[in-house]
Amino acid sequence: MTAELISVGTELLMGNIVNGNAQFLAEQCAALGFGMYYQVTVGDNYGRMKAVIETALERSDIVILTGGLGPTEDDLTKEVCAEAMGMKLVEDTHTREHLKSFFENNIYKEIPENNWKMAVVPEGAFVLDNGNGMAPGLILEKEGKTAILLPGPPGELYPMFRQQVLPYLQKRQQQALVSRMVKICGYGESQVEDMLLDLIDKQTNPTIATYAKTAQVDLRLTARGEDEKEAEALIAPVLHEIMKRLGNAVFTTDEYVTLEMAVVELLKKKGLTISTAESCTGGMTAAKLVNVPGASNVFMEGVVTYSNEAKMRLLGVRQETLETFGAVSRETAQEMAEGGVKMSGSDICVAITGLAGPGGGTDKKPVGLVFMACCLKGRTEIREYHFKGNRDKIREQSMMKALDLVRLCVLEHS
Amino acid sequence: MTAELISVGTELLMGNIVNGNAQFLAEQCAALGFGMYYQVTVGDNYGRMKAVIETALERSDIVILTGGLGPTEDDLTKEVCAEAMGMKLVEDTHTREHLKSFFENNIYKEIPENNWKMAVVPEGAFVLDNGNGMAPGLILEKEGKTAILLPGPPGELYPMFRQQVLPYLQKRQQQALVSRMVKICGYGESQVEDMLLDLIDKQTNPTIATYAKTAQVDLRLTARGEDEKEAEALIAPVLHEIMKRLGNAVFTTDEYVTLEMAVVELLKKKGLTISTAESCTGGMTAAKLVNVPGASNVFMEGVVTYSNEAKMRLLGVRQETLETFGAVSRETAQEMAEGGVKMSGSDICVAITGLAGPGGGTDKKPVGLVFMACCLKGRTEIREYHFKGNRDKIREQSMMKALDLVRLCVLEHS
């Protein structure tokens, strides 16, 4: 089964926004085992849209369209699809009621006349209620081809896809498909591939796909079977073998869990509190932890000690240490972490000091040199890294590795 | 003149990465005054690539392709383009030398045999040296059609486009095109449009395009003329009028300057130092400032005081204030900012305290309520906001508004 994406919107052609919807839908289709060979972006123009939709329906089984479902004259996706598939437009009473109550509950005013346009649907379409906006989604089926029309705003598209389109597409798969995500920190993509070479080489069912991210590698295992049980049985031994080989480097097997969520969860489970002491990352690590809802249970405070004076006053780093070894050193990282525990009273402090560049590097201490330390109950683990890339990249890698260092320290020493 | 984008890469079709290159190139083409009607993503497959490239060359004047220029067998963009345009492949001595020296300076090992593939170019192509990677870019011209082939990694593509492709495309424009960016913080998109309604309504030359971002609106003015001077003369009065109406809400007219860069620049100019005191933003504001190269000249330190205890110890917020008004209050924000100045010895401290959700809201203090304060030389400005959106969105808006508050305080009171 093949799927194709058509993104409709002048704002994409003008570069006003990045097409995050396309990435989301492409990843979802890959997880469903659909082949995807084309993605097309087109503007709100009847003729061009029609040509693009007809081509897509000819060469792909399922065409997923996003955008152009709103109430204005520019919004044409539904109309063009209906014509391309030879379907008549009719008013849908259910959607009319839905729109009416959406307006009453959210906008508190009379619905403008042109908005009723959104209650008109191609005859025979499955209507997907929009729980987060006005325009409903639609599924059109005709002569073995399927068009799925979804609203453009991600806050409407994502939940609609997960709650209504995904179950529909899963049913469309003749075979049951089971997918598992393995998220890894601590090894690069090629290291992971080396460690799993024999498994990757002989992969057919389940398939193993690697996704390289900043300081993180994701593996997606996908198995097909007659039913879910059979697919599960195919995936289980491979997953088990991968987990055995990668050990603690795997921080989650849950698709929706991020590294910071895994760290906060682990700290909660162990009843530990944490503080942060950052130099080159400038607060990114604290911000990442705080981004997890409920982080206040484990995260107490953080300091960004950019100047030496701040390192001494807020963390008790000794002037002698800074003068002898420098601000970017193993010794300073250690004193920052240990000072952070002392000052904050938290169980753990993770400290980061490094050179993110672009300036400031020397032969002995080049840009990309980063020290981090994690102090947990009197024991301090220190790491030295030589990161590559620009300032952003160095800081992001530092932040990820610092979070991972916390995770490993807690796993190994608490 | 019309332009079309073709993004080549299985990683886009699998949803492994978001297509940021397409946004960048679309915005650049819009600024150049090119019409763009299509963007297509296709995998590394000879037949499908060829069909997509032929269609694009037929319907668009300039086709910009990204990706698929590397050394592996999968990399086919150059080969397929050459065939589609009927051009022979020949070795380019200059590129061979360039590759050799790139390897010697960056990778320190013998160049693998298959990498010489990158020195082969379609006969008659303009070669664009790659200052940040191996594969060169290429410009192919034939029978009034142009194909521009660029490497996929953004760190290679962006500088190559700005330094080499942009001047080439500017020359291709029959008319001179002048573009100015006006970046605004403090008004929403519809407010900006209301304030400039008469200018936007009668726009033809220059055109005015609005780009809504988080807590920021960008306006791009684009004028065409016989020569640059004429275009400049057309843009000047409109730009002047916009600047007059928007006043201090405009933080830059430089395309490449971000809000945090403008703040750091302003602080440098005024010789002022800053510290941050954050609760709900958890260090994002500090991280944003530190992300500006050279921030160490103005940014001293930051604290993330998530717990009340930390607010008292690190910032001297009084227990009575926290008990009477709560952690999310005008009074706490003020004491955080004033305490931050006292503790850090910096000239300015900006403080943020709020409810980012999802939990923790009440009728009196709903999720999205954020207080911020900026203390500058004994004078404290306080703001109350009611932000909408999810946790991320609330925190990002808070961070942006806090940076803008610093900017306005410095502009008005120093």
Side-chain angles (χ1 to χ4, degrees):
Chain A
M1 191 104 64
T2 58
E4 175 161 351
L5 302 184
I6 299 179
S7 307
V8 179
T10 308
E11 69 279 16
L12 292 165
L13 295 176
M14 298 281 290
N16 302 19
I17 53 169
V18 68
N19 197 348
N21 290 346
Q23 182 194 13
F24 169 77
L25 293 170
E27 190 176 345
Q28 295 289 328
C29 286
L32 281 160
F34 296 148
M36 182 175 291
Y37 302 128
Y38 305 96
Q39 296 171 0
V40 180
T41 301
V42 66
D44 311 286
N45 171 285
Y46 205 97
R48 286 192 286 268
M49 274 176 73
K50 186 145 175 277
V52 161
I53 290 170
E54 282 170 352
T55 303
L57 285 168
E58 215 174 281
R59 67 190 177 188
S60 304
D61 302 314
I62 298 173
V63 180
I64 305 181
L65 298 105
T66 53
L69 294 181
T72 75
E73 279 178 38
D74 280 353
D75 295 305
L76 296 169
T77 306
K78 181 174 62 188
E79 289 77 2
V80 179
C81 269
E83 190 178 309
M85 298 179 82
M87 294 166 100
K88 210 171 66 178
L89 290 168
V90 293
E91 186 168 88
D92 182 56
T93 327
H94 166 79
T95 301
R96 198 178 166 97
E97 282 308 309
H98 194 82
L99 270 178
K100 205 172 148 208
S101 81
F102 180 84
F103 254 79
E104 282 164 5
N105 293 326
N106 288 279
I107 310 185
Y108 314 108
K109 60 176 183 189
E110 202 62 13
I111 185 163
E113 197 47 42
N114 66 349
N115 282 28
W116 294 121
K117 174 176 183 280
M118 290 184 287
V120 173
V121 308
E123 203 167 19
F126 299 104
V127 174
L128 309 169
D129 287 345
N130 189 341
N132 302 283
M134 290 189 296
L138 297 164
I139 300 180
L140 317 183
E141 289 181 353
K142 193 157 181 183
E143 293 161 13
K145 298 290 183 174
T146 303
I148 302 177
L149 286 63
L150 300 172
E156 301 176 26
L157 185 154
Y158 285 41
M160 188 183 284
F161 188 90
R162 288 193 177 122
Q163 290 155 23
Q164 301 180 71
V165 181
L166 200 54
Y168 167 82
L169 290 174
Q170 278 161 342
K171 264 190 238 152
R172 286 284 303 269
Q173 279 287 10
Q174 278 94 4
Q175 292 188 300
L177 213 80
V178 170
S179 169
R180 284 280 176 286
M181 192 68 114
V182 178
K183 298 190 181 182
I184 300 150
C185 195
Y187 296 114
E189 191 182 16
S190 59
Q191 281 174 298
V192 170
E193 285 175 352
D194 279 350
M195 291 167 82
L196 307 177
L197 201 59
D198 54 320
L199 301 176
I200 292 174
D201 270 354
K202 70 176 187 200
Q203 62 165 320
T204 46
N205 192 14
T207 56
I208 305 172
T210 57
Y211 294 70
K213 312 203 164 160
T214 301
Q216 178 178 331
V217 178
D218 292 353
L219 292 177
R220 189 190 280 282
L221 279 67
T222 308
R224 293 147 209 256
E226 283 301 308
D227 53 28
E228 206 168 303
K229 211 175 138 192
E230 188 185 307
E232 288 276 9
L234 283 163
I235 228 168
V238 182
L239 182 64
H240 179 81
E241 181 60 27
I242 288 174
M243 299 295 285
K244 205 175 82 183
R245 293 194 197 176
L246 295 171
N248 273 350
V250 175
F251 65 84
T252 186
T253 53
D254 184 328
E255 173 137 24
Y256 298 112
V257 168
T258 60
L259 180 58
E260 61 271 20
M261 284 162 79
V263 170
V264 167
E265 203 42 56
L266 181 64
L267 293 172
K268 263 192 207 167
K269 205 174 100 188
K270 299 271 184 177
L272 295 168
T273 58
I274 188 170
S275 63
T276 55
E278 303 180 66
S279 187
C280 65
T281 43
M284 286 169 82
T285 312
K288 210 72 179 170
L289 287 170
V290 171
N291 198 26
V292 180
S296 53
N297 291 312
V298 300
F299 178 77
M300 297 292 107
E301 64 191 62
V303 292
V304 183
T305 53
Y306 217 50
S307 67
N308 279 349
E309 195 273 318
K311 287 185 185 72
M312 293 188 282
R313 178 167 39 81
L314 289 168
L315 295 167
V317 174
R318 289 173 308 152
Q319 185 158 6
E320 199 194 323
T321 305
L322 290 166
E323 280 166 5
T324 314
F325 304 102
V328 178
S329 66
R330 174 172 283 274
E331 291 75 10
T332 297
Q334 178 169 2
E335 290 191 16
M336 285 170 73
E338 291 171 0
V341 163
K342 217 171 293 168
M343 299 284 187
S344 68
S346 60
D347 300 310
I348 302 170
C349 178
V350 62
I352 306 160
T353 178
L355 285 158
T362 63
D363 277 355
K364 260 184 83 179
K365 295 192 176 176
V367 167
L369 175 65
V370 178
F371 292 94
M372 50 191 72
C374 179
C375 176
L376 165 56
K377 293 183 180 167
R379 180 188 184 120
T380 307
E381 291 274 344
I382 308 168
R383 295 278 185 281
E384 175 177 344
Y385 286 103
H386 295 262
F387 294 121
K388 293 208 167 129
N390 63 16
R391 187 175 173 89
D392 268 3
K393 208 84 192 159
I394 289 169
R395 296 170 75 223
E396 210 189 328
Q397 291 175 86
S398 304
M399 180 263 292
M400 290 290 288
K401 289 291 189 188
L403 289 175
D404 197 48
L405 178 58
V406 171
R407 192 178 65 85
L408 293 175
C409 286
V410 172
L411 282 178
E412 286 160 20
H413 307 301
S414 80
Chain B
M1 191 101 67
T2 57
E4 175 162 351
L5 303 184
I6 300 179
S7 308
V8 179
T10 308
E11 68 279 16
L12 292 165
L13 295 176
M14 297 282 288
N16 302 18
I17 53 169
V18 68
N19 197 349
N21 290 346
Q23 182 194 15
F24 169 77
L25 292 170
E27 190 176 343
Q28 295 289 328
C29 286
L32 281 160
F34 295 149
M36 181 174 292
Y37 301 129
Y38 305 96
Q39 296 170 359
V40 180
T41 301
V42 66
D44 310 287
N45 171 285
Y46 205 98
R48 286 191 287 268
M49 274 176 72
K50 186 143 175 280
V52 162
I53 291 171
E54 283 170 351
T55 303
L57 285 168
E58 215 173 279
R59 66 188 176 189
S60 304
D61 301 314
I62 298 172
V63 180
I64 305 180
L65 299 104
T66 52
L69 295 180
T72 75
E73 279 179 39
D74 280 354
D75 294 306
L76 295 169
T77 307
K78 183 174 58 187
E79 289 77 3
V80 179
C81 269
E83 190 178 309
M85 297 179 81
M87 294 166 101
K88 210 170 67 179
L89 290 167
V90 294
E91 186 168 89
D92 182 57
T93 328
H94 166 78
T95 301
R96 198 179 166 95
E97 283 308 309
H98 194 83
L99 269 180
K100 206 173 146 206
S101 81
F102 180 84
F103 255 80
E104 282 164 6
N105 293 327
N106 288 280
I107 309 186
Y108 313 108
K109 60 175 184 188
E110 201 66 10
I111 184 163
E113 197 48 40
N114 66 348
N115 281 28
W116 295 120
K117 175 175 183 280
M118 290 184 287
V120 173
V121 309
E123 203 167 20
F126 300 104
V127 174
L128 309 169
D129 287 344
N130 189 339
N132 302 283
M134 292 190 295
L138 297 164
I139 299 180
L140 317 184
E141 289 180 354
K142 194 157 180 183
E143 293 159 15
K145 299 290 183 174
T146 303
I148 303 175
L149 286 62
L150 300 172
E156 302 176 25
L157 185 153
Y158 285 40
M160 188 183 284
F161 188 91
R162 287 188 177 127
Q163 290 155 22
Q164 302 181 71
V165 181
L166 200 54
Y168 166 83
L169 290 174
Q170 278 161 343
K171 265 189 240 153
R172 285 285 302 270
Q173 279 287 9
Q174 278 94 8
Q175 292 189 298
L177 213 80
V178 170
S179 170
R180 285 280 177 286
M181 192 67 113
V182 178
K183 298 189 181 183
I184 300 150
C185 196
Y187 296 115
E189 190 180 19
S190 57
Q191 280 175 300
V192 170
E193 285 175 352
D194 279 349
M195 291 167 80
L196 307 176
L197 202 58
D198 53 321
L199 300 176
I200 291 174
D201 271 352
K202 70 176 185 198
Q203 62 165 321
T204 47
N205 191 14
T207 55
I208 305 172
T210 57
Y211 294 70
K213 312 203 164 159
T214 301
Q216 178 179 330
V217 178
D218 292 355
L219 292 177
R220 189 190 281 281
L221 279 66
T222 308
R224 294 147 208 256
E226 281 302 308
D227 52 28
E228 206 168 305
K229 209 174 139 194
E230 188 185 308
E232 289 276 10
L234 283 163
I235 228 168
V238 182
L239 183 62
H240 182 252
E241 181 61 28
I242 288 175
M243 298 295 285
K244 206 175 82 184
R245 292 193 196 177
L246 295 171
N248 273 350
V250 175
F251 65 85
T252 187
T253 54
D254 184 328
E255 173 139 20
Y256 299 114
V257 168
T258 59
L259 180 58
E260 60 271 21
M261 285 161 78
V263 170
V264 167
E265 203 41 56
L266 181 64
L267 293 172
K268 265 192 206 166
K269 204 175 101 188
K270 300 270 183 177
L272 295 168
T273 59
I274 189 170
S275 64
T276 54
E278 303 180 67
S279 186
C280 66
T281 44
M284 286 169 82
T285 312
K288 209 72 178 171
L289 287 169
V290 170
N291 199 28
V292 180
S296 54
N297 291 312
V298 299
F299 178 77
M300 297 292 107
E301 64 190 63
V303 293
V304 183
T305 52
Y306 217 50
S307 67
N308 279 349
E309 195 273 318
K311 288 185 185 73
M312 293 188 282
R313 178 167 40 80
L314 289 168
L315 295 168
V317 175
R318 289 174 306 151
Q319 184 157 6
E320 199 194 323
T321 305
L322 291 166
E323 280 167 3
T324 314
F325 304 103
V328 178
S329 66
R330 173 173 283 274
E331 291 76 10
T332 298
Q334 177 168 3
E335 290 191 17
M336 285 171 73
E338 291 172 359
V341 164
K342 217 170 294 167
M343 299 283 188
S344 67
S346 60
D347 300 311
I348 302 170
C349 178
V350 63
I352 306 158
T353 179
L355 285 159
T362 63
D363 278 355
K364 260 183 84 178
K365 295 193 175 176
V367 168
L369 175 66
V370 178
F371 291 94
M372 49 192 72
C374 179
C375 176
L376 165 55
K377 294 181 178 168
R379 179 187 183 121
T380 307
E381 291 274 343
I382 308 168
R383 295 279 185 281
E384 175 178 344
Y385 286 104
H386 295 261
F387 293 122
K388 293 207 168 130
N390 62 16
R391 186 174 174 89
D392 268 2
K393 208 81 192 161
I394 289 169
R395 296 169 75 224
E396 209 188 329
Q397 292 175 84
S398 303
M399 181 263 292
M400 290 290 288
K401 290 290 189 188
L403 289 174
D404 198 48
L405 177 59
V406 171
R407 191 178 66 85
L408 293 175
C409 285
V410 172
L411 282 178
E412 287 160 21
H413 308 300
S414 81

